[in-house]
Amino acid sequence: MEPAPLNISAYVVLSAILFAMGALGVLIRRNAILVFMSVELMLNAANLALIAFARFYNQMDGQILVFFVMTVAAAEVAVGLALIVVIFRTRRSINIDELSRLKD
Amino acid sequence: MGLETFLFIIVGAVAVAAAAGMLFSKSGIHSALFLVLNLACVAVFYLMLSAPFMAMVQITVYAGAIMVLFLFVIMLLGSERIDLGLTDRRLGFQTPAAFALAVLFIVVVAAAVLTGQIPAPQPVNDVQATTHGGPGEVGAVLYTRYLLPFEMVAVLLLAATIGAVVLARDVIPTKRSQRAQMGRIRELRQMITTIETEAASAPGADGEGAEEEAAAPAPAAPAGE
Amino acid sequence: MEVFDLVPLIVFIPIAGLLLNAWIGRYLSEKGIAWIACGAAGLSFLVAVALGLGLAGGSEGKIVPIVDWIKLPAVGVDIPWAMRVDTLSVTMMLAVAGVGTLIHIYAVGYMHGDARFGRFFIYMNLFLASMLLLVTGNNFLVLFVGWELVGLCSFLLIGFWLHRDAPDPETGIIGGIKNTNAAKKAFIVNRVGDFGFILAILLIWWTFGTLDFGPIQGAAHAAGHEEVAAGEVHEAAPESAPGGEAVAPVTPEGVCQPTGEGVFPMAEAFMAAGCNVKLGSAEVPIGTLIVVVTLLMLVGVTGKSAQIPLFVWLPDAMAGPTPVSALIHAATMVTAGVYLVTRNNVLYEAARGVNILPFGLSPPDIVALVGAITAFMAGTIAVAQWDIKRVLAYSTISQLGFMVAAVGLGGYVAGMFHLVTHAFFKALLFLAAGSVIHGVEHGAHHAHEHGTHEARTFGYREGVLDPQDMRNMGGLRRRMPVTFWVYVIGALALAGIFPFAGFWSKDEILLDAFLRGSEYGDPTGWLVLILLIGAAAFTAFYMGRQVFMIFFGAPRTQAAGHASENPPIMTYPLIVLAALSTLGGLLNVPGLHPFGTWLEQSVPHAHTADFNVLLALVALAIAGVAVALAVVIYYMRPALTSDGLDRLQRPLGPLWTFLHRKWLWDEAYHNAVIRPFNALGGLLAHLDVRYLRDGLDQGLYGGFNRIAAFLGGDFDLGIIDRVVNGVGRVTQQLAGQARHLQTGYVRNYALSVMLGVLAVLLILLLPLLFGQ
């Protein structure tokens, strides 16, 4: 007999783990680029969940949504990295803890 | 244990390990490369979930283009500047709180999913699945039902391109803008002088005003007196 | 392997030629480049000849698939790139490649010494390839690609001398930028027309579900649709595959149902059935739809074939080198519109019976009227031009008007016939005009070397010789005998004098108009006939004026006095074209009508009227009178008055100026389109400065200041202050406590967000976990 195929819960839990790790990265790293990469990891975890749901509900919409997420991520990375470069150029640092002028 | 389960466990472990590597490595370059590994693992999951087109897009766009951009910026800014920052003198409670929240998140989701409270759909049979996420299918849906979002995303990409160019370009001050800036500074100086003079010559200045006057730098004062 | 399978070569050879020149051209001498370019053009002409011989042998032609171009089975889009070999397309191929080759050869001499010699021939080959792509295309989209490429090439070539001084036709300002303006004008005006064509294509796609033209008509008529589908026709429609059930063109509800045969057969079937077409939720009668499609196509035609109202680009296109003018005017580009109408003769004839437009006009009537009015108007304008090429440009517009009028009247054979003969004699005239210009320029150099300087020149700037201005010429007959004789032949052919080519083809067009009026009782026919006869008279007159002004009388400048004949590489193509212009009428000689029979295979609505001696004599007499008038005015006395004016300039007065400035079309466009556009831009800028910036500054800022002064004075100090101070003090104390939360560290904020996420997650999931 064919072994039972993987349940969707496995993928969702994996996705949650990756998401939590990405969030952890955002919370504990001070380097702006690393924070940014952690955000990418979170997006990616969400994508995984979407694809899994698309597969198990047999709907294309999840995949299309992933497609759009990737596109938006690409745009976000372009602008975000440009911002980081500008910040580095003006402040000679990308430590986000030093970017605390907002409170003043 | 079926092949799929086996593959899932192996690749999942690698993915989690890669994510952890990204989080805790000291070098920015290493972090980025760990993230690439993680993205590749997720691409494998996409393949297993019969989304070959998305897997390819993941590899080319995410692991390829986006991560190269990251590496490029890391190298541009100098990788030695990327410090780990785990030991923080200002926000001591941040790190333990973050760990606690992350664990809590995983526990909540896992509990909800694994106790079967979320209705888990049955997977479709394999014949359907094989033609599920090919480029043709994706294209057919993308260019018909999702045509408008597709166009809007195109505009978004254009806006992002322009935004990135505008942000990252080196603003070289022209003669004209410099002159304008100088003019503005001169105006401000004059204004300050006028205010100081007025404050100094005001007959019935109250206590605060007098204090300020006393604190004000000397040059303006003689004119008032 | 049939001979028709050679047809891809006709496009790919010129492309190979241009690629070769683009890659290795820089290492070659002018001679090498010329060999490659002319060789490519010549070879594609040979291919066209081979195809023509194959068709003349009684074969039905063939549709040759090249590639699957756009194929999306998921949404039912299948647009292949196939080439169509039938008599119509082969006629165009022969004319385009043949005349094109001669122009290539001539250009070798004309462009000699130009810094960008290689680039010029790359563009020329591209131009040829695009035009051949256009005429060979078997569906509307391929045709459109060629159509656009031709527009691109004209842009590149008209602005070819982008650095060279050329006068702006309106202001007379000299500056290289004006050439590029002419190129942009051509491109943009064409774009307006192309937009109409694009809409027509979209409507066709919507209605018929395909863009293929359909099986070759002759075959369809001979064998019936079933055998065609089973036979040699490219399989564009799986629905009508052999053995399958033929799809009825109409559903029981009276809705048109595409059968996948191709646009033309389907249009005929739909019209016969009189069904409705579903456009979204609306149902439109097929007749209305075809009227709209044909009218939109007419917009495209007026752009590309330089008809009213979009003709304004063509005269300015003279800024390009003369071989380019010849290529645009004679062989490529402008004939595309006439070809398009002829190719769509099924649609136009179907639209003829639909009376939904005002005055009982049908789309072909409008086509005919546009053509006839254009022919007449351009003929009158040409009378009052100084520039040798500009006269020819307006004569091209006028002759295109003849062709468009002919196809609009249903005289597809006459229109195509005139297209071919016109290609001969207009290429001849342009190249001869180039030869004249070249000769005068040489004369100017010669005179300059000998230290003589001009007593008086005409043109855009005093003291600078404009070699294109006919006032600077005169008496060139003896200096350039070969050019003179070929020019006279071209002029006679254009004027429609017996027995030259133009006589026969023009006569057929007039005859078609006459028959449309007398046999069908269609008033449009009479109107068109009158306009065309008037245009023909003007044609004879202005050609006479031009010949007498250029070649007769005394030389009016030193340059004209020292002009010299050009080398054989320029004169030989002229002689060949002169021979063709003389004998071209034999193509459709009355009584036999070989050309008409030839076209019947691909143009189902082709018919040839019998020669009408009376009408021919009337036309000839009118042309003769016009030439005689030109003799009296421009030959009996010097062509210019003593103060350098045209003989007619003073008698006609403001009318002459009106004609000289082409009926003020440019001024009208300037006032109707460009000025409002600029004014709108100015207005918006003004609004921005005045109301957004100043308004913000003065209105808002000033108003606020005033209100604030009032409120801040009595009201504020007395009442508000105390309340506010109280509130402020409380707030300050609260804020003092709360500001500790505001650390300013982004990560701290992110932590709060995460906390919030968890809270929401718990609220959502807890009922699931512990509910029930």
Side-chain angles (χ1 to χ4, degrees):
Chain A
M1 197 190 132
E2 191 86 352
L6 267 177
N7 200 303
I8 185 172
S9 8
Y11 287 102
V12 175
V13 170
L14 178 65
S15 159
I17 293 173
L18 290 179
F19 185 88
M21 293 180 83
L24 192 61
V26 173
L27 295 182
I28 64 173
R29 299 298 302 247
R30 288 183 306 172
N31 184 296
I33 292 181
L34 267 160
V35 169
F36 216 166
M37 287 189 336
S38 304
V39 171
E40 296 301 317
L41 183 59
M42 288 163 77
L43 281 174
N44 211 49
N47 281 353
L48 179 59
L50 279 171
I51 295 260
F53 278 114
R55 163 75 158 81
F56 286 95
Y57 282 103
N58 196 22
Q59 294 275 319
M60 283 304 291
D61 305 56
Q63 294 198 17
I64 300 296
L65 200 55
V66 169
F67 182 83
F68 286 130
V69 169
M70 283 186 188
T71 323
V72 174
E76 170 226 330
V77 165
V79 176
L81 286 178
L83 278 172
I84 288 180
V85 169
V86 172
I87 290 170
F88 181 77
R89 206 182 276 153
T90 50
R91 305 184 65 97
R92 311 308 301 171
S93 157
I94 48 170
N95 186 336
I96 55 169
D97 281 356
E98 288 172 18
L99 303 176
S100 54
R101 293 281 298 274
L102 199 62
K103 72 174 168 185
D104 300 335
Chain B
M1 189 164 72
L3 177 65
E4 200 188 351
T5 319
F6 179 71
L7 209 58
F8 178 85
I9 290 170
I10 297 292
V11 180
V14 174
V16 173
M22 185 203 92
L23 282 188
F24 301 113
S25 79
K26 285 202 169 82
S27 146
I29 302 280
H30 289 177
S31 276
L33 291 177
F34 273 124
L35 184 53
V36 171
L37 178 59
N38 177 275
L39 295 175
C41 290
V42 174
V44 173
F45 286 129
Y46 289 179
L47 277 178
M48 288 164 63
L49 290 167
S50 68
F53 179 67
M54 283 305 148
M56 289 306 121
V57 174
Q58 170 95 352
I59 295 291
T60 51
V61 176
Y62 241 124
I66 294 183
M67 290 317 295
V68 166
L69 199 57
F70 267 108
L71 283 170
F72 177 74
V73 172
I74 292 171
M75 289 172 178
L76 179 77
L77 304 187
S79 62
E80 73 277 6
R81 291 177 197 281
I82 294 183
D83 54 340
L84 193 55
L86 277 178
T87 53
D88 195 296
R89 53 197 187 286
R90 279 173 289 198
L91 293 167
F93 63 97
Q94 174 93 16
T95 307
F99 272 103
L101 282 181
V103 171
L104 200 57
F105 181 89
I106 295 170
V107 167
V108 168
V109 174
V113 174
L114 293 179
T115 52
Q117 295 299 325
I118 291 179
Q122 284 308 302
V124 291
N125 65 49
D126 285 344
V127 182
Q128 271 175 300
T130 46
T131 57
H132 190 51
E137 272 70 19
V138 175
V141 180
L142 195 59
Y143 296 125
T144 52
R145 197 135 60 96
Y146 288 93
L147 188 59
L148 185 66
F150 183 74
E151 303 278 2
M152 282 158 58
V153 158
V155 176
L156 173 79
L157 278 177
L158 177 67
T161 312
I162 295 170
V165 170
V166 170
L167 281 174
R169 97 191 138 155
D170 226 345
V171 183
I172 300 158
T174 59
K175 278 231 171 83
R176 203 163 144 211
S177 72
Q178 273 177 328
R179 222 177 300 136
Q181 191 116 29
M182 291 309 291
R184 235 170 285 140
I185 291 171
R186 214 173 304 126
E187 254 172 48
L188 281 175
R189 275 205 191 121
Q190 210 154 16
M191 219 187 280
I192 292 168
T193 322
T194 326
I195 291 170
E196 281 171 347
T197 325
E198 273 173 11
S201 62
D206 58 0
E208 275 180 29
E211 273 175 37
E212 270 177 22
E213 194 192 327
E225 289 161 5
Chain C
M1 163 115 182
E2 271 181 288
V3 65
F4 301 129
D5 292 326
L6 289 175
V7 64
L9 290 179
I10 203 168
V11 172
F12 289 124
I13 289 175
I15 289 178
L18 81 90
L19 290 180
L20 207 58
N21 264 338
W23 280 332
I24 61 168
R26 71 190 68 174
Y27 310 113
L28 295 178
S29 63
E30 276 191 8
K31 208 169 176 182
I33 295 171
W35 268 110
I36 292 176
C38 297
L43 280 176
S44 63
F45 176 61
L46 286 184
V47 173
V49 169
L51 296 174
L53 289 178
L55 279 177
S59 178
E60 288 294 356
K62 188 175 182 183
I63 294 173
V64 183
I66 313 284
V67 287
D68 282 337
W69 182 22
I70 301 174
K71 191 162 191 172
L72 299 169
V75 277
V77 176
D78 180 11
I79 302 172
W81 176 20
M83 287 186 170
R84 186 183 182 93
V85 186
D86 59 6
T87 52
L88 178 60
S89 65
V90 170
T91 308
M92 290 298 292
M93 287 182 225
L94 283 169
V96 170
V99 177
T101 305
L102 290 174
I103 293 170
H104 270 73
I105 296 170
Y106 171 92
V108 175
Y110 193 88
M111 299 303 289
H112 171 70
D114 194 285
R116 301 190 302 159
F117 189 86
R119 179 179 296 245
F120 181 79
F121 279 95
I122 291 172
Y123 290 163
M124 289 287 271
N125 270 354
L126 181 61
F127 209 156
L128 204 60
S130 325
M131 190 66 194
L132 290 168
L133 178 70
L134 191 162
V135 298
T136 53
N138 186 40
N139 63 43
F140 283 100
L141 207 60
V142 175
L143 198 160
F144 185 73
V145 169
W147 187 271
E148 290 295 298
L149 279 175
V150 165
L152 170 71
C153 293
S154 71
F155 169 76
L156 293 173
L157 282 168
I158 291 169
F160 186 75
W161 280 332
L162 72 169
H163 305 300
R164 185 175 274 206
D165 273 3
D168 179 54
E170 304 310 326
T171 60
I173 297 167
I174 299 171
I177 198 68
K178 294 305 167 198
N179 275 356
T180 56
N181 273 356
K184 276 187 280 182
K185 186 172 178 183
F187 199 65
I188 293 168
V189 172
N190 262 304
R191 190 57 18 152
V192 176
D194 295 346
F195 185 66
F197 189 26
I198 266 193
L199 290 181
I201 292 175
L202 288 177
L203 261 184
I204 288 171
W205 172 260
W206 215 342
T207 313
F208 299 108
T210 177
L211 293 177
D212 281 354
F213 292 146
I216 289 174
Q217 297 288 341
H221 280 284
H225 293 306
E226 290 82 2
E227 279 189 40
V228 171
E232 59 187 5
V233 176
H234 170 64
E235 206 58 64
E239 291 93 338
S240 67
E245 194 70 25
V247 184
V250 187
T251 61
E253 296 85 47
V255 174
C256 296
Q257 192 177 357
T259 55
E261 278 178 289
V263 171
F264 299 142
M266 266 195 267
E268 277 182 332
F270 288 176
M271 281 304 284
C275 51
N276 288 337
V277 177
K278 259 199 152 61
L279 293 182
S281 57
E283 284 196 8
V284 182
I286 180 76
T288 314
L289 209 83
I290 285 186
V291 166
V292 175
V293 165
T294 47
L295 285 180
L296 286 173
M297 252 183 223
L298 175 63
V299 176
V301 170
T302 57
K304 200 64 74 183
S305 278
Q307 300 294 299
I308 291 176
L310 296 180
F311 71 97
V312 287
W313 64 272
L314 193 64
D316 292 325
M318 295 300 103
T322 303
V324 175
S325 309
L327 199 57
I328 290 179
H329 285 248
T332 59
M333 182 109 180
V334 293
T335 54
V338 181
Y339 167 77
L340 182 68
V341 179
T342 311
R343 176 56 83 198
N344 287 296
N345 64 81
V346 174
L347 294 185
Y348 276 93
E349 290 305 316
R352 196 184 285 285
V354 184
N355 281 313
I356 56 164
L357 298 174
F359 308 115
L361 287 172
S362 65
D365 291 338
I366 295 174
V367 173
L369 283 175
V370 166
I373 296 171
T374 310
F376 183 79
M377 183 204 68
T380 59
I381 293 175
V383 170
Q385 299 299 321
W386 292 126
D387 188 313
I388 179 172
K389 284 169 72 181
R390 217 160 250 272
V391 172
L392 293 178
Y394 282 106
S395 101
T396 303
I397 297 175
S398 177
Q399 298 303 309
L400 284 167
F402 271 88
M403 295 173 214
V404 170
V407 293
L409 291 165
Y412 300 104
V413 175
M416 289 304 293
F417 184 29
H418 198 57
L419 190 155
V420 173
T421 57
H422 176 259
F424 295 153
F425 58 70
K426 189 47 63 67
L428 169 62
L429 282 171
F430 261 112
L431 298 186
S435 168
V436 169
I437 295 165
H438 221 244
V440 172
E441 274 176 352
H442 270 265
H445 285 299
H446 192 75
H448 189 71
E449 279 166 16
H450 285 250
T452 50
H453 76 272
E454 301 289 350
R456 171 182 206 181
T457 60
F458 298 91
Y460 42 85
R461 203 165 70 181
E462 191 61 34
V464 176
L465 184 93
D466 179 1
Q468 302 196 12
D469 197 313
M470 296 194 292
R471 288 173 292 188
N472 293 331
M473 300 173 187
L476 289 175
R477 179 170 37 123
R478 270 183 289 279
R479 305 288 315 179
M480 310 175 75
V482 180
T483 307
F484 167 65
W485 280 112
V486 297
Y487 206 98
V488 167
I489 290 174
L492 288 175
L494 176 58
I497 305 292
F498 182 83
F500 295 98
F503 170 74
W504 303 103
S505 53
K506 194 177 287 185
D507 188 65
E508 249 181 63
I509 294 176
L510 295 178
L511 189 57
D512 273 320
F514 177 71
L515 291 180
R516 176 66 52 187
S518 59
E519 279 186 16
Y520 296 85
D522 189 346
T524 318
W526 294 118
L527 191 57
V528 169
L529 181 65
I530 292 166
L531 284 169
L532 289 187
I533 286 182
F538 275 107
T539 309
F541 180 74
Y542 67 69
M543 284 319 290
R545 169 180 180 260
Q546 195 179 30
V547 168
F548 294 129
M549 232 181 221
I550 298 172
F551 293 106
F552 288 86
R556 283 186 288 276
T557 55
Q558 297 286 338
H562 290 87
S564 58
E565 188 57 275
N566 287 303
I569 194 163
M570 285 171 74
T571 51
Y572 284 176
L574 292 178
I575 294 168
V576 175
L577 283 167
L580 287 170
S581 305
T582 313
L583 303 175
L586 290 177
L587 268 182
N588 204 18
V589 67
L592 288 172
H593 293 305
F595 190 66
T597 325
W598 159 265
L599 273 188
E600 266 167 23
Q601 182 242 331
S602 52
V603 185
H605 292 276
H607 67 89
T608 314
D610 279 326
F611 189 65
N612 186 325
V613 180
L614 188 66
L615 191 67
L617 282 180
V618 169
L620 198 55
I622 290 175
V625 169
V627 173
L629 263 176
V631 169
V632 171
I633 297 175
Y634 295 105
Y635 181 62
M636 310 291 264
R637 291 179 291 171
L640 296 182
T641 59
S642 52
D643 46 355
L645 297 179
D646 192 280
R647 284 278 165 207
L648 289 177
Q649 199 161 357
R650 203 155 286 148
L652 290 182
L655 182 60
W656 204 89
T657 315
F658 178 65
L659 295 179
H660 182 69
R661 305 183 71 171
K662 45 186 140 155
W663 289 29
L664 306 179
W665 272 95
D666 272 348
E667 285 79 357
Y669 272 124
H670 189 76
N671 286 329
V673 180
I674 298 170
R675 279 228 330 239
F677 191 77
N678 285 344
L680 184 66
L683 179 72
L684 289 178
H686 179 74
L687 284 180
D688 181 36
V689 170
R690 178 71 185 272
Y691 293 102
L692 281 177
R693 237 179 290 159
D694 289 4
L696 274 181
D697 274 7
Q698 289 160 14
L700 283 178
Y701 181 80
F704 269 129
N705 270 355
R706 236 165 296 142
I707 296 169
F710 165 71
L711 292 178
D714 315 326
F715 190 65
D716 179 58
L717 288 176
I719 304 160
I720 308 283
D721 243 21
R722 280 180 208 169
V723 179
V724 171
N725 278 346
V727 172
R729 211 160 292 133
V730 174
T731 313
Q732 209 169 19
Q733 276 165 5
L734 286 178
Q737 308 294 319
R739 73 176 287 197
H740 296 298
L741 282 176
Q742 191 82 344
T743 54
Y745 297 119
V746 181
R747 296 192 295 134
N748 222 314
Y749 301 150
L751 196 68
S752 333
V753 172
M754 188 69 188
L755 208 59
V757 168
L758 258 179
V760 172
L761 204 63
L762 281 174
I763 291 169
L764 287 175
L765 291 182
L766 278 180
L768 281 177
L769 287 174
F770 307 110
Q772 290 154 14

